[in-house]
Amino acid sequence: MSKVLVSDPIDQAGIDILSQVATVDVKTGLKPDRLKEIIGEYDALMIRSGTRVTQEIIEAGTQLKIIGRAGVGVDNVDVPTATRRGIVVVNSPEGNTIAAAEHALAMMLALSRHIPDANASVKRGAWDRNSFIGAEVYKKTLGIVGLGKIGSHVAAVAKAMGMKLLAYDPFISTERAEQIGCQLVDLDLLFQQADYITLHIPKTPETTHLINAVTLAKMKPNARIINCARGGIIEETALAAAVKAGKIAGAALDVFESEPLGESDLRSLGKEMILTPHLGASTTEAQVNVAIDVAEQIRDVLLGLPARSAVNIPGLGPDVLEELKPYMQLAETLGNLVGQLAGGRVELLNVRLQGELATNKSQPLVVASLKGLLYQALRERVNYVNASIEAKERGIRVIETRDASARDYAGSLHLEATGTLGTHSVTGALLGDKEIHLTDVDGFPINVPPSKYMLFTLHRDMPGIIGKLGSLLGSFNVNIASMQVGRKIVRGDAVMALSIDDPLPDGILAEITKVPGIRDAFTVTL
Ligand SMILES: NC(=O)c1ccc[n+]([C@@H]2O[C@H](COP(=O)([O-])OP(=O)(O)OC[C@H]3O[C@@H](n4cnc5c(N)ncnc54)[C@H](O)[C@@H]3O)[C@@H](O)[C@H]2O)c1
Ligand SMILES: O=C(O)[C@H](O)COP(=O)(O)O
């Protein structure tokens, strides 16, 4: 039975799902050294933001197949190292969207009305109404940086509260922003005009310290900043200084450069600074959502099925996956076949996506083709996660073309591999939407389902060849299950595809190529 380590607090709903297929150990608060010591026993690791999954941890996790992040941000996981080692990294992109958006809105209102400090003062026994005069958000300008899932929900609620919305997000269109009720502006204008600024962007090299002494100086003295996205987007010392000096009116932070927050100037500020301990996703509803979402994906991957929200398999979202699933198998089979026909070291793989496959959505088929191509060399070590990297490291160039006009089948895939021993090609399609058929080998039309053991010959189309080959195979006790010849012109060159019941015994290929008229022969195992 597989083993899963859960190293951060996860809702029981997720543990119950994992327990259907694995032994689950919940060990939270592990020190990095201890995690490194034990991770080698586990097939899967489930985390939140508390566990840092570094290169060292991943390399010690020799059995790891999947790392599941019960939440959105995977910045605590060394994704490139996981990818290189073929470990799927999954998250829950939407499970805590509402929780995080509501926390940002709560922070905005709490900051405007000094709720945390007013509450603390009443609890201390005071009744001080004058120190807590607030500001209304109605008719104020909210600047939203990052108009993705969380930013969009914040926009919808803020609009209903009567706020004017500005947004900065270089990756979304003006039309989309307008649909959400936001005016898309550049960052400088947003900084200059906003009364409230809320951050909903990932932490990237571009967004690190986006809020710093220079950008803070552009803001209005009554501006208030909310960060429920990621620590490090704000330069904390510069923010503390700006708030202390009254250059801006305040800030509310849920996330910090280093968590848990250590000694910090931020702690010394009064009611103009609200700090929460990374609570954005901490609602009962969000924790159930993310736990179920990620546990289901871990379960699927442990059962050999693909994950729906893998962050390191490009383009393989749930909708695409559902549509492409049968074609992924086709691509893998063709990749494996053409790799064996080409033999030697493959240097170039041409992938032609034809008919209905000639859409941008079909990109994962290129990865699946590479996975098949590399299978003979890497066996179980190659998967959808690391196939592209492994191919690149082996110097395999990939050329991807699309031909929507190919009409023989609804969709078909053509692979051509060029290697040190020559060039070979195969084409395949699905019959009845799921049965794989080879429809072409080296330019010769055939129509056969692939089987585990196959023999292909290139020969002259002339009387007697089939009989001679049959007798030869018979003399080696090889049973033929099916056989088909593909040719372009009568008595020209032809291809023969045979399905055989067992692997071809050693030495027989050389005998086959001695049969007059047979130019070449290839045996493959699929
Ligand atoms: N505090 C919490 O507990 C909590 C909970 C959930 C999510 N988060 C964080 O909130 C952030 C947003 O999450 P989401 O689910 O909305 O993500 P998302 O991917 O849906 O949206 C992010 C948006 O940021 C935009 N963006 C990227 N780079 C940008 C840049 N340089 N400038 C401006 N915009 C840029 C993207 O185009 C996208 O629209 C993430 O950092 C996530 O980790 C925090
Ligand atoms: O990226 C996220 O999903 C949030 O930061 C939530 O983090 P958490 O799961 O540790 O609460």
PDB file of all heavy atoms in Angstrom, residues 67-84:
ATOM      1  N   ILE A  67       3.500  15.835  -4.886  1.00  0.00           N
ATOM      2  CA  ILE A  67       3.445  16.761  -3.752  1.00  0.00           C
ATOM      3  C   ILE A  67       2.143  17.542  -3.922  1.00  0.00           C
ATOM      4  O   ILE A  67       1.917  18.169  -4.958  1.00  0.00           O
ATOM      5  CB  ILE A  67       4.651  17.730  -3.761  1.00  0.00           C
ATOM      6  CG1 ILE A  67       5.959  16.942  -3.635  1.00  0.00           C
ATOM      7  CG2 ILE A  67       4.527  18.763  -2.640  1.00  0.00           C
ATOM      8  CD1 ILE A  67       7.212  17.734  -3.943  1.00  0.00           C
ATOM      9  N   GLY A  68       1.274  17.468  -2.927  1.00  0.00           N
ATOM     10  CA  GLY A  68      -0.027  18.137  -3.020  1.00  0.00           C
ATOM     11  C   GLY A  68      -0.063  19.329  -2.088  1.00  0.00           C
ATOM     12  O   GLY A  68       0.150  19.186  -0.878  1.00  0.00           O
ATOM     13  N   ARG A  69      -0.336  20.517  -2.631  1.00  0.00           N
ATOM     14  CA  ARG A  69      -0.401  21.746  -1.827  1.00  0.00           C
ATOM     15  C   ARG A  69      -1.885  22.060  -1.621  1.00  0.00           C
ATOM     16  O   ARG A  69      -2.580  22.430  -2.584  1.00  0.00           O
ATOM     17  CB  ARG A  69       0.333  22.835  -2.596  1.00  0.00           C
ATOM     18  CG  ARG A  69       0.068  24.290  -2.207  1.00  0.00           C
ATOM     19  CD  ARG A  69       0.154  24.555  -0.726  1.00  0.00           C
ATOM     20  NE  ARG A  69       0.292  25.980  -0.477  1.00  0.00           N
ATOM     21  CZ  ARG A  69      -0.464  26.641   0.387  1.00  0.00           C
ATOM     22  NH1 ARG A  69      -1.421  26.029   1.063  1.00  0.00           N
ATOM     23  NH2 ARG A  69      -0.247  27.918   0.573  1.00  0.00           N
ATOM     24  N   ALA A  70      -2.361  21.878  -0.395  1.00  0.00           N
ATOM     25  CA  ALA A  70      -3.773  22.156  -0.112  1.00  0.00           C
ATOM     26  C   ALA A  70      -3.964  23.660   0.011  1.00  0.00           C
ATOM     27  O   ALA A  70      -4.091  24.216   1.090  1.00  0.00           O
ATOM     28  CB  ALA A  70      -4.201  21.443   1.169  1.00  0.00           C
ATOM     29  N   GLY A  71      -3.957  24.326  -1.137  1.00  0.00           N
ATOM     30  CA  GLY A  71      -4.067  25.775  -1.221  1.00  0.00           C
ATOM     31  C   GLY A  71      -3.603  26.205  -2.593  1.00  0.00           C
ATOM     32  O   GLY A  71      -3.471  25.364  -3.499  1.00  0.00           O
ATOM     33  N   VAL A  72      -3.324  27.497  -2.740  1.00  0.00           N
ATOM     34  CA  VAL A  72      -2.962  28.014  -4.065  1.00  0.00           C
ATOM     35  C   VAL A  72      -1.443  28.076  -4.264  1.00  0.00           C
ATOM     36  O   VAL A  72      -0.886  27.473  -5.168  1.00  0.00           O
ATOM     37  CB  VAL A  72      -3.511  29.455  -4.254  1.00  0.00           C
ATOM     38  CG1 VAL A  72      -3.175  29.978  -5.644  1.00  0.00           C
ATOM     39  CG2 VAL A  72      -4.995  29.502  -4.017  1.00  0.00           C
ATOM     40  N   GLY A  73      -0.776  28.842  -3.377  1.00  0.00           N
ATOM     41  CA  GLY A  73       0.622  29.186  -3.623  1.00  0.00           C
ATOM     42  C   GLY A  73       1.554  27.996  -3.469  1.00  0.00           C
ATOM     43  O   GLY A  73       1.518  27.291  -2.461  1.00  0.00           O
ATOM     44  N   VAL A  74       2.409  27.786  -4.477  1.00  0.00           N
ATOM     45  CA  VAL A  74       3.387  26.690  -4.390  1.00  0.00           C
ATOM     46  C   VAL A  74       4.800  27.267  -4.256  1.00  0.00           C
ATOM     47  O   VAL A  74       5.779  26.624  -4.611  1.00  0.00           O
ATOM     48  CB  VAL A  74       3.299  25.729  -5.607  1.00  0.00           C
ATOM     49  CG1 VAL A  74       2.045  24.893  -5.553  1.00  0.00           C
ATOM     50  CG2 VAL A  74       3.379  26.494  -6.913  1.00  0.00           C
ATOM     51  N   ASP A  75       4.871  28.509  -3.729  1.00  0.00           N
ATOM     52  CA  ASP A  75       6.191  29.122  -3.602  1.00  0.00           C
ATOM     53  C   ASP A  75       7.019  28.510  -2.483  1.00  0.00           C
ATOM     54  O   ASP A  75       8.208  28.794  -2.370  1.00  0.00           O
ATOM     55  CB  ASP A  75       6.090  30.655  -3.458  1.00  0.00           C
ATOM     56  CG  ASP A  75       4.921  31.078  -2.599  1.00  0.00           C
ATOM     57  OD1 ASP A  75       4.132  30.207  -2.191  1.00  0.00           O
ATOM     58  OD2 ASP A  75       4.795  32.283  -2.319  1.00  0.00           O
ATOM     59  N   ASN A  76       6.420  27.642  -1.664  1.00  0.00           N
ATOM     60  CA  ASN A  76       7.198  26.921  -0.650  1.00  0.00           C
ATOM     61  C   ASN A  76       7.666  25.551  -1.168  1.00  0.00           C
ATOM     62  O   ASN A  76       8.188  24.748  -0.426  1.00  0.00           O
ATOM     63  CB  ASN A  76       6.394  26.754   0.654  1.00  0.00           C
ATOM     64  CG  ASN A  76       5.004  26.166   0.436  1.00  0.00           C
ATOM     65  OD1 ASN A  76       4.391  26.392  -0.590  1.00  0.00           O
ATOM     66  ND2 ASN A  76       4.502  25.425   1.399  1.00  0.00           N
ATOM     67  N   VAL A  77       7.451  25.306  -2.466  1.00  0.00           N
ATOM     68  CA  VAL A  77       7.891  24.041  -3.062  1.00  0.00           C
ATOM     69  C   VAL A  77       8.911  24.348  -4.160  1.00  0.00           C
ATOM     70  O   VAL A  77       8.676  25.241  -4.991  1.00  0.00           O
ATOM     71  CB  VAL A  77       6.692  23.288  -3.701  1.00  0.00           C
ATOM     72  CG1 VAL A  77       7.135  21.976  -4.338  1.00  0.00           C
ATOM     73  CG2 VAL A  77       5.593  23.045  -2.671  1.00  0.00           C
ATOM     74  N   ASP A  78      10.013  23.625  -4.182  1.00  0.00           N
ATOM     75  CA  ASP A  78      10.982  23.800  -5.265  1.00  0.00           C
ATOM     76  C   ASP A  78      10.448  23.034  -6.485  1.00  0.00           C
ATOM     77  O   ASP A  78      10.802  21.875  -6.734  1.00  0.00           O
ATOM     78  CB  ASP A  78      12.356  23.264  -4.811  1.00  0.00           C
ATOM     79  CG  ASP A  78      13.432  23.490  -5.862  1.00  0.00           C
ATOM     80  OD1 ASP A  78      13.084  23.733  -7.036  1.00  0.00           O
ATOM     81  OD2 ASP A  78      14.621  23.416  -5.506  1.00  0.00           O
ATOM     82  N   VAL A  79       9.584  23.718  -7.223  1.00  0.00           N
ATOM     83  CA  VAL A  79       8.896  23.051  -8.346  1.00  0.00           C
ATOM     84  C   VAL A  79       9.887  22.603  -9.439  1.00  0.00           C
ATOM     85  O   VAL A  79       9.766  21.483  -9.955  1.00  0.00           O
ATOM     86  CB  VAL A  79       7.765  23.947  -8.926  1.00  0.00           C
ATOM     87  CG1 VAL A  79       7.078  23.267 -10.098  1.00  0.00           C
ATOM     88  CG2 VAL A  79       6.737  24.264  -7.836  1.00  0.00           C
ATOM     89  N   PRO A  80      10.900  23.423  -9.800  1.00  0.00           N
ATOM     90  CA  PRO A  80      11.833  22.940 -10.836  1.00  0.00           C
ATOM     91  C   PRO A  80      12.505  21.614 -10.452  1.00  0.00           C
ATOM     92  O   PRO A  80      12.649  20.724 -11.290  1.00  0.00           O
ATOM     93  CB  PRO A  80      12.856  24.076 -10.957  1.00  0.00           C
ATOM     94  CG  PRO A  80      12.120  25.299 -10.498  1.00  0.00           C
ATOM     95  CD  PRO A  80      11.162  24.831  -9.433  1.00  0.00           C
ATOM     96  N   THR A  81      12.892  21.474  -9.168  1.00  0.00           N
ATOM     97  CA  THR A  81      13.530  20.209  -8.771  1.00  0.00           C
ATOM     98  C   THR A  81      12.522  19.067  -8.849  1.00  0.00           C
ATOM     99  O   THR A  81      12.839  17.968  -9.328  1.00  0.00           O
ATOM    100  CB  THR A  81      14.114  20.320  -7.341  1.00  0.00           C
ATOM    101  OG1 THR A  81      15.102  21.344  -7.353  1.00  0.00           O
ATOM    102  CG2 THR A  81      14.748  19.028  -6.881  1.00  0.00           C
ATOM    103  N   ALA A  82      11.302  19.315  -8.391  1.00  0.00           N
ATOM    104  CA  ALA A  82      10.269  18.267  -8.470  1.00  0.00           C
ATOM    105  C   ALA A  82      10.056  17.858  -9.930  1.00  0.00           C
ATOM    106  O   ALA A  82       9.980  16.664 -10.252  1.00  0.00           O
ATOM    107  CB  ALA A  82       8.968  18.773  -7.850  1.00  0.00           C
ATOM    108  N   THR A  83       9.992  18.820 -10.810  1.00  0.00           N
ATOM    109  CA  THR A  83       9.762  18.552 -12.237  1.00  0.00           C
ATOM    110  C   THR A  83      10.877  17.681 -12.798  1.00  0.00           C
ATOM    111  O   THR A  83      10.639  16.676 -13.471  1.00  0.00           O
ATOM    112  CB  THR A  83       9.677  19.890 -13.010  1.00  0.00           C
ATOM    113  OG1 THR A  83       8.657  20.670 -12.407  1.00  0.00           O
ATOM    114  CG2 THR A  83       9.358  19.668 -14.480  1.00  0.00           C
ATOM    115  N   ARG A  84      12.103  18.092 -12.498  1.00  0.00           N
ATOM    116  CA  ARG A  84      13.265  17.332 -12.987  1.00  0.00           C
ATOM    117  C   ARG A  84      13.199  15.870 -12.528  1.00  0.00           C
ATOM    118  O   ARG A  84      13.581  14.971 -13.246  1.00  0.00           O
ATOM    119  CB  ARG A  84      14.521  17.997 -12.412  1.00  0.00           C
ATOM    120  CG  ARG A  84      15.820  17.588 -13.031  1.00  0.00           C
ATOM    121  CD  ARG A  84      16.895  18.557 -12.578  1.00  0.00           C
ATOM    122  NE  ARG A  84      16.650  19.883 -13.116  1.00  0.00           N
ATOM    123  CZ  ARG A  84      17.002  20.255 -14.336  1.00  0.00           C
ATOM    124  NH1 ARG A  84      17.627  19.426 -15.112  1.00  0.00           N
ATOM    125  NH2 ARG A  84      16.736  21.463 -14.763  1.00  0.00           N
TER     126      ARG A  84
END
